[in-house]
Amino acid sequence: MENITTQQEILIVTGTGFASRQYSERDEMDNSRSLSPNEKLQEACWNGQVQEMIPEIFYPTDHPVKLYLWQLKEASHFLSLELGECPSDIDSYLSIDPYLFLMQATEN
């Protein structure tokens, strides 16, 4: 029997009010003041603040699962986050990443 693991993809549109808001910094760094809003958002994601920023997309369950950010990809107008219990490949047919699912649509 195959183990079932939890995976979650999140797309955050950049250039919006949400993407440019202030995020609390976990580690105060001298160069953090010179970061662009997109870089500050990426830093907040890597510091584990995704669930604090957008708690409404994380469903409460009877058996809470700890999701880790395994990959963050920057595209021209969005950030693509891949979270999961362990690193695994994303099925491009089921993905919400437009660069992945549009490739599948052209093949059909």
Side-chain angles (χ1 to χ4, degrees):
M1 189 166 128
E2 196 174 311
N3 287 341
I4 297 174
T5 60
T6 303
Q7 267 184 288
Q8 185 168 7
E9 283 184 283
I10 301 171
L11 294 183
I12 300 175
V13 179
T14 56
T16 63
F18 174 81
S20 62
R21 71 180 192 183
Q22 294 288 342
Y23 301 102
S24 61
E25 297 178 15
R26 300 268 179 175
D27 300 322
E28 290 291 326
M29 296 171 40
D30 293 335
N31 65 349
S32 64
R33 301 288 179 235
S34 63
L35 296 177
S36 71
N38 283 351
E39 291 171 331
K40 287 183 181 181
L41 177 59
Q42 289 180 34
E43 184 179 313
C45 291
W46 281 119
N47 286 335
Q49 296 177 323
V50 177
Q51 193 164 0
E52 296 168 15
M53 293 187 300
I54 39 180
E56 59 273 8
I57 66 169
F58 292 91
Y59 298 109
T61 61
D62 294 337
H63 306 287
V65 176
K66 180 70 174 162
L67 298 179
Y68 300 97
L69 178 62
W70 294 106
Q71 189 167 23
L72 186 147
K73 293 185 268 185
E74 183 177 8
S76 42
H77 298 289
F78 65 89
L79 296 177
S80 174
L81 310 176
E82 294 178 15
L83 296 103
E85 297 175 72
C86 60
S88 59
D89 293 331
I90 299 291
D91 184 355
S92 60
Y93 187 75
L94 301 173
S95 176
I96 62 171
D97 186 340
Y99 294 117
L100 293 177
F101 78 74
L102 286 176
M103 286 190 302
Q104 288 292 328
T106 59
E107 291 177 3
N108 291 332

